[in-house]
Amino acid sequence: MRTRTKFVKKTMIFLAAAVCALALVFSGCSSRDGVDGKNGRDFDIYQIYEAYVSETEAMGDTPLTFLEFINSYLDVEYTASELDEVLSVQAAINRSLLSCVSVTAAFSGTSATNATRTITSASAGSGVIVDIDRDAGDAYVVTNCHVVYNEDLAGKYATCVHVALYGQEDYMYAERTTNRTADETTIDIEGGIEAKIVAAAPSYDLALLKVTGSEDIKNSNATAAKFVDDDVTDMGQRVYAIGNPGGYGMSVTEGIVSKDSEYIGINFDSNENLVLYYRVLRTDTALNSGNSGGGLFNSEGKLVGIVNSKSSDDYEGVSYAIPAGTARRVVESMMDSEGSSMQVGISKPVYGVELDADPLPSYVDENGNTQKREAVYVVNYDRNGLGKDFETNDVIKHITITSSDGVVKEDLDIERLYMVSDALISVRVGDEVTFTVSRDNEEVPISHTMTRSEIYSGSRWEEYAKKMEYDLLFCF
């Protein structure tokens, strides 16, 4: 059953005047702690413990052990092994902060429905660095498509995007300016690093931004995050989210994976004219407006997903992320096909085959985790298309994708429905794709080498699937 939900929506911001006013009311002055002094210095738990030990010994007393100190002063009860785990996660979080950015997008232009009306707005979201060349000051950042998308604008996508590294995000804001003489309103982003939208895919709610030649990147410790290797997310694994809730700067929340895979429907526009369906993982990690596009990491600091939505019903602890396996392949497709202008959608072959799946008994894997399993089979296929060699009721057992130079890009036993469509995102011109299907109790290989005309770039594969009246989530 598909759940209707809503985005962890890009939070709308018109901050300049409000921030100035609040600064006057609450602080009474324009200076900020930590900007030109040591009162904003960060201390870690080890430095605090060392200071405690020094002071205690100076008084002639015996200091507590580190474990006793943590349990006493933080009012918790950790065992030694639990403390090791906590500190390991703390280290992973601090590493992940170097891969995370705040995103501010400005929209300015003609209304999509009224050519005489102009629109100026801004939104805040989050992003994750997925590739970086610090020497050159270049970086690619993944975020949600809806962070840089405005359905009310004729051009739909942001006219200006800036990103800010951790520690710099407090100084990035959007400012709206009205010239009453010229009857013009503009919106500008102050601070941060200018980024270009390379590609955007509404059907995956992902967008790729590119930063070029940034001195801030050159002089930073920024690093690229790594995606998890597996296509299956383990239930109950500990995860944390880093994002920009409310547009007030990056923060961290923690939880677990509540459900490894499900399908949700989201209103992509405010008028509910466009409902898109996504495969997501569910987490109880606290997420709010502005977390959109941020990373969901495991305890090793690897990306488990890209945060994009939360339940619109009165449910607590029900939030969603685009799974890492999907996000990684979409990002790679976007990077491989980067051109001079922004690309909408991704490149993908369409066989014209509709799938379904029957549940099988779960099993326990080699790590002791309980995993779901499905029998994935063909329901319908285009007899004149690329999928003409399939037959109804073929059970798909395995997919191998090999590049023209012999590199195996995908080698998957198909145990879940989503694995088929996800794997095909990796296909490029010249790749050999081999399906192994079970047909009449025999294993039958179906192989094909992709030509340029068979790779549907941008949104053409979506148009094809719609023409065939196939569900985009359950066809390839």
Side-chain angles (χ1 to χ4, degrees):
M1 178 179 178
R2 293 178 184 157
T3 305
R4 288 292 287 276
T5 185
K6 65 180 180 181
F7 289 123
V8 178
K9 190 65 177 176
K10 52 191 180 184
T11 183
M12 304 308 294
I13 54 171
F14 304 103
L15 295 181
V19 169
C20 291
L22 287 173
L24 291 172
V25 171
F26 291 118
S27 66
C29 64
S30 60
S31 65
R32 299 182 61 175
D33 287 349
V35 171
D36 54 2
K38 294 185 178 181
N39 53 345
R41 180 183 175 187
D42 293 327
F43 289 89
D44 64 32
I45 191 65
Y46 299 104
Q47 292 172 300
I48 295 171
Y49 177 67
E50 288 169 3
Y52 154 77
V53 169
S54 297
E55 184 175 350
T56 302
E57 290 178 340
M59 296 173 63
D61 296 329
T62 301
L64 300 174
T65 67
F66 188 54
L67 179 60
E68 291 169 339
F69 175 80
I70 291 290
N71 286 339
S72 297
Y73 284 86
L74 297 185
D75 192 26
V76 295
E77 287 295 332
Y78 286 127
T79 65
S81 61
E82 287 172 337
L83 181 61
D84 286 342
E85 181 183 1
V86 169
L87 295 178
S88 174
V89 172
Q90 180 186 4
I93 289 172
N94 279 272
R95 289 195 306 272
S96 298
L97 286 169
L98 300 175
S99 304
C100 296
V101 300
S102 296
V103 178
T104 300
F107 304 85
S108 183
T110 305
S111 166
T113 56
N114 185 348
T116 63
R117 186 169 71 91
T118 58
I119 292 176
T120 54
S121 64
S123 69
S126 309
V128 182
I129 297 172
V130 291
D131 191 72
I132 191 168
D133 181 346
R134 275 209 305 269
D135 291 339
D138 299 345
Y140 286 96
V141 173
V142 64
T143 186
N144 283 152
C145 182
H146 75 262
V147 169
V148 295
Y149 180 93
N150 186 336
E151 71 277 3
D152 295 326
L153 195 69
K156 302 301 181 187
Y157 292 94
T159 48
C160 181
V161 180
H162 283 208
V163 301
L165 302 171
Y166 179 64
Q168 297 182 313
E169 72 273 18
D170 292 343
Y171 305 94
M172 182 171 64
Y173 61 92
E175 183 173 24
R176 182 184 245 171
T177 304
T178 300
N179 185 333
R180 300 194 182 281
T181 302
D183 194 25
E184 291 180 349
T185 301
T186 58
I187 188 160
D188 298 305
I189 301 173
E190 301 295 332
I193 307 167
E194 187 174 354
K196 170 188 175 184
I197 306 175
V198 173
S203 291
Y204 292 97
D205 194 24
L206 293 171
L208 188 65
L209 313 177
K210 185 177 183 180
V211 172
T212 304
S214 165
E215 292 298 321
D216 284 337
I217 295 289
K218 292 179 183 178
N219 297 320
S220 73
N221 292 315
T223 185
K226 296 184 182 300
F227 290 94
V228 293
D229 299 324
D230 298 331
D231 284 288
V232 177
T233 304
D234 296 325
M235 291 280 286
Q237 73 170 289
R238 191 174 184 177
V239 292
Y240 57 89
I242 299 180
N244 179 30
Y248 299 127
M250 278 184 273
S251 62
V252 184
T253 51
E254 185 183 37
I256 62 170
V257 173
S258 309
K259 194 171 184 178
D260 70 328
S261 182
E262 62 183 303
Y263 298 93
I264 60 172
I266 299 180
N267 297 317
F268 205 78
D269 63 1
S270 57
N271 297 320
E272 301 189 9
N273 294 323
L274 178 60
V275 178
L276 297 177
Y277 293 93
Y278 302 97
R279 186 182 76 83
V280 293
L281 62 83
R282 187 196 300 182
T283 177
D284 68 347
T285 307
L287 300 172
N288 294 286
S289 297
N291 272 110
S292 288
L296 188 69
F297 299 86
N298 65 14
S299 59
E300 297 177 359
K302 291 187 176 181
L303 272 173
V304 172
I306 301 297
V307 169
N308 85 317
S309 57
K310 67 185 296 183
S311 173
S312 59
D313 299 316
D314 295 328
Y315 297 123
E316 296 295 332
V318 180
S319 301
Y320 304 102
I322 305 298
T326 304
R328 174 182 59 79
R329 293 178 175 98
V330 169
V331 166
E332 289 173 352
S333 176
M334 289 175 169
M335 293 176 68
D336 287 348
S337 58
E338 180 187 351
S340 57
S341 58
M342 186 186 79
Q343 174 186 307
V344 178
I346 62 170
S347 298
K348 188 177 178 181
V350 175
Y351 280 72
V353 177
E354 184 180 10
L355 301 177
D356 203 347
D358 290 337
L360 298 173
S362 61
Y363 68 99
V364 178
D365 66 17
E366 64 275 10
N367 297 316
N369 297 312
T370 304
Q371 304 291 1
K372 288 183 178 179
R373 187 166 44 183
E374 298 170 333
V376 181
Y377 59 92
V378 174
V379 174
N380 195 8
Y381 63 98
D382 181 0
R383 288 158 177 78
N384 297 313
L386 198 55
K388 62 182 181 300
D389 293 328
F390 288 87
E391 293 184 6
T392 303
N393 295 323
D394 279 353
V395 177
I396 299 181
K397 307 292 287 185
H398 194 89
I399 295 179
T400 303
I401 299 174
T402 307
S403 67
S404 57
D405 55 2
V407 176
V408 178
K409 301 163 69 172
E410 302 280 359
D411 191 17
L412 296 174
D413 289 328
I414 303 303
E415 295 186 338
R416 304 290 289 274
L417 179 61
Y418 63 78
M419 289 182 171
V420 180
S421 58
D422 272 11
L424 289 178
I425 300 173
S426 299
V427 175
R428 306 289 184 269
V429 175
D431 289 353
E432 182 181 53
V433 182
T434 300
F435 290 86
T436 301
V437 303
S438 178
R439 180 186 300 165
D440 298 327
N441 295 320
E442 292 184 7
E443 290 198 345
V444 178
I446 300 174
S447 294
H448 182 79
T449 299
M450 289 294 164
T451 65
R452 187 170 301 279
S453 63
E454 292 165 338
I455 302 289
Y456 283 64
S457 60
S459 58
R460 286 183 59 221
W461 71 271
E462 299 174 16
E463 295 168 2
Y464 178 94
K466 289 175 182 177
K467 183 176 72 173
M468 297 298 296
E469 297 184 350
Y470 290 166
D471 191 318
L472 286 172
L473 289 169
F474 307 130
C475 76
F476 69 87

